Every structure is written in C-alpha cells, then in structure tokens.
Amino acid sequence: MRLSNYTLTPTRINNAKAKARLYKLSDGGGLFVEVSTTGQKTWRYQYRFAGSRRDVKIGRYPEIGVADARARHFELRSLLERIRRDFPSPMTVSKHQD
C-alpha cells in the first residue's frame, strides 16, 4: 500500500550536486534526501510526534536505493501510526472526552 505520491528518481538524486548550504530533495510523505555541502546524500524521514518535529536517518544513498528507502519509510510510518493508536497523547485523549 502506497502512502505517498513519491517523486524522486535515481537520476534526479544522482544529478544533485553539493551547494554552499545543506538542502533537501523531497520524495513525499516526509521522506527526503538530504544533500550535504560535500555532496553526500542521506535518506531521512521527518515526522511530528508529541507536538515536535523529529527525523530519523534511514541511510546513505546509493547504499540504500530508492525502493529500499521507500520500503523503510512505509515501515516507519506504520510503526508511528501503531504507537499513536496504542499510546494516544494526553492532549488527544482530553479533546475526545469533552
């Protein structure tokens, strides 16, 4: 099951060059490739949990390919949804009880 409309292709990632500042290439659903000032490319997943933005490193490109990164992204999103379902935040619980 696809959760996002993924947009990155291996060609686009390979063509990404280092810039003066770190930048991101978004793939959708919080998944992105971070391109460092040295040209290193790292897959990351950014999400919100308990009111704050967080991210998790999935791995370096090309060691982790596009399909593998998307599969890991799906696993992480599923895990996050299970945690939210099984352990709702106090703010969510209080809103539903009113």
Side-chain angles (χ1 to χ4, degrees):
M1 178 174 122
R2 283 181 57 165
L3 297 173
S4 299
N5 291 322
Y6 296 116
T7 60
L8 283 179
T9 62
T11 303
R12 186 165 172 224
I13 298 169
N14 290 332
N15 290 339
K17 304 296 180 205
K19 295 183 180 180
R21 299 184 70 188
L22 181 95
Y23 68 99
K24 300 175 184 178
L25 298 173
S26 178
D27 195 34
L31 181 64
F32 63 93
V33 172
E34 184 178 75
V35 183
S36 72
T37 56
T38 61
Q40 180 175 300
K41 298 160 187 156
T42 306
W43 286 104
R44 292 189 173 275
Y45 170 46
Q46 188 173 62
Y47 59 95
R48 292 192 66 79
F49 186 75
S52 64
R53 187 181 310 177
R54 301 166 190 224
D55 71 75
V56 62
K57 179 180 174 180
I58 294 175
R60 290 196 178 134
Y61 179 84
E63 289 85 13
I64 303 291
V66 175
D68 292 335
R70 289 173 178 166
R72 184 70 176 134
H73 172 245
F74 178 78
E75 293 170 8
L76 290 167
R77 281 186 69 147
S78 298
L79 175 63
L80 187 59
E81 287 305 314
R82 284 195 308 272
I83 290 170
R84 286 181 177 144
R85 183 189 65 227
D86 295 342
F87 304 100
S89 72
M91 292 173 65
T92 306
V93 172
S94 64
K95 286 180 183 177
H96 292 300
Q97 289 178 352
D98 291 340

